[in-house]
Amino acid sequence: MKNTLSRRGFIASVSAIPASRGFAPGIVRGETVNDVYRELGVRPFINAAGTYTALSASIMDRAVIEAMESAARSYVSIPELQEAAGTRIASLVGSEAALVTAGCAAALTLATAACVCGEDEEAIRRVPDIVGLKNEVIFPQGHRFGYDHAIRNVGVKIVEVASKEELYAAIGNRTAMLFFLNLAANRSPITREELVEAGKKTGVPTLIDAAADLPPARNLTDLAGMGFDLVAFSGGKGLKGPQCSGLLIGRKDLVRAAFLNGSPHSDSVARIAKVGKEEIVGLTKALELYVARDHDADWKEWESRVSHILSAVEGIDGVTGARFVPEIANEVPHAAINWDPSHIALTRDELARLLREGEPRIEARPSEGNAPRLEIGVWMMTPGDHEVVAARCVEILKATTKRRVAELDPFGLVARSTK
């Protein structure tokens, strides 16, 4: 049930291998290779993957960084700042209330605690010992994922249902919340509308996790407008806020309760998920920028980058390219490079390793299996990155049409010999 390639997924075996200089395309990327990372011996990379947490998600705009720098220079009351920022964010997204959290996982914990404990101080102190309180959260079948631990932290039991009928039968006096994973919407036995309707009819709060589901930008308003009581987003992905930030929006009473179940309040389940003044201000600024962006122009830019990459690989014997848009998470234009193994002696993992080992280092989109197909995300690239990625892919693919992978010493790869 756990998807290791989820929108906040862990990517196995992403290691910092010493780089070979043999495939440098002649582009110096001094601005990308920050001295802070050099001092630590960590090598930055071009993000041709997407907003994966293990790959540090996104890069903040200068205005966000400047806002955080400004926030860092003064002391402030965190409750006052959360209230002010929440009011500002709520006005931007058309919600009753909003709360900046320490990532989307923290938003899930806080939302669950709000539905279980409300503002009851004794209950807040007892979590995860919730005997006598509502202690069940209902999930549609197929919505369990690697982050439902954030919900279980509150001490609740997860109940899975496979149909609308089972949903209503499962709702009872122990039901604290109904949960929906937006990433699973297209394969769900229960629709978002049906879950919301059940919550309204029975008086049970509803929460939807839409962590990586910006874009489309309309999700900032549409999911709450659909009737969900609480909506959770990541702040450090499509919003390009601080990576350790998240956002919880929705009903004013539940958002207030969520705040009381976490930092800066001691003896609460989410006290460990502290969000600082810098992250609160940074995410607020990132949201202001996001709602003001020309999203159509962004889409056209991504399409242009994809077209450049696909055009670059056209004409290589045995190679075909295709544009695709993933469903829901990272729902933006991507490039896919496919090749005939009888013409090109590479697996997907070998090509990904060659890109990772070169200079500059490039991280491609993770993929299940090892089929001869490389997927490239372009929307987290900085200007010009797509040209570097295209050039490197062309060089590697052309080289491997002529000789075995084991002979590619300039790439720094010691691999099995292929025929």
Side-chain angles (χ1 to χ4, degrees), residues 310 313-322 336-340 344 372-373:
L310 297 181
V313 300
E314 284 181 2
I316 302 175
D317 192 24
V319 177
T320 59
I337 301 173
N338 303 280
W339 61 92
D340 183 345
I344 296 176
R373 172 186 171 94

Side-chain angles (χ1 to χ4, degrees), residues 25 41 69 115 121 129 154 165 171 184 241 245 254 264 296 346 377 385 397 410:
E69 289 176 347
C115 294
E121 292 185 10
D129 175 12
V154 182
E165 292 72 26
I171 296 174
S245 67
L254 291 176
D296 290 336
L346 281 176
D385 283 349
L397 291 168

Side-chain angles (χ1 to χ4, degrees), residues 112-180:
T112 306
C115 294
V116 170
C117 303
E119 299 185 20
D120 186 329
E121 292 185 10
E122 181 183 356
I124 292 171
R125 287 194 296 271
R126 281 205 289 131
V127 170
D129 175 12
I130 56 174
V131 175
L133 302 175
K134 294 181 178 182
N135 62 356
E136 292 181 353
V137 174
I138 298 177
F139 279 50
Q141 196 171 75
H143 288 236
R144 296 295 298 272
F145 67 133
Y147 296 87
D148 62 39
H149 207 135
I151 292 172
R152 291 187 283 115
N153 283 343
V154 182
V156 298
K157 173 186 176 183
I158 293 177
V159 177
E160 295 184 73
V161 295
S163 67
K164 181 178 177 180
E165 292 72 26
E166 287 187 15
L167 171 61
Y168 280 93
I171 296 174
N173 57 12
R174 295 182 179 179
T175 307
M177 186 176 77
L178 308 182
F179 174 80
F180 197 96

Side-chain angles (χ1 to χ4, degrees), residues 298-308 323 325 333 378:
D298 287 340
W299 190 275
K300 290 177 182 177
E301 172 61 24
W302 300 329
E303 292 279 19
S304 175
R305 294 176 184 179
V306 168
S307 294
H308 178 90
R323 170 199 175 277
V325 177
V378 299

Side-chain angles (χ1 to χ4, degrees), residues 220-235:
L220 273 175
T221 56
D222 285 5
L223 295 176
M226 190 179 292
F228 282 97
D229 296 299
L230 292 168
V231 185
F233 296 101
S234 172

Side-chain angles (χ1 to χ4, degrees), residues 259-324:
F259 174 61
L260 295 176
N261 276 270
S263 181
H265 307 95
S266 60
D267 203 3
S268 61
V269 67
R271 180 62 179 82
I272 60 173
K274 179 189 293 184
V275 58
K277 58 185 181 294
E278 298 84 2
E279 288 76 34
I280 297 170
V281 169
L283 184 58
T284 303
K285 174 57 70 174
L287 273 158
E288 290 175 347
L289 295 175
Y290 189 78
V291 298
R293 287 189 71 85
D294 185 340
H295 298 287
D296 290 336
D298 287 340
W299 190 275
K300 290 177 182 177
E301 172 61 24
W302 300 329
E303 292 279 19
S304 175
R305 294 176 184 179
V306 168
S307 294
H308 178 90
I309 292 169
L310 297 181
S311 296
V313 300
E314 284 181 2
I316 302 175
D317 192 24
V319 177
T320 59
R323 170 199 175 277
F324 73 100

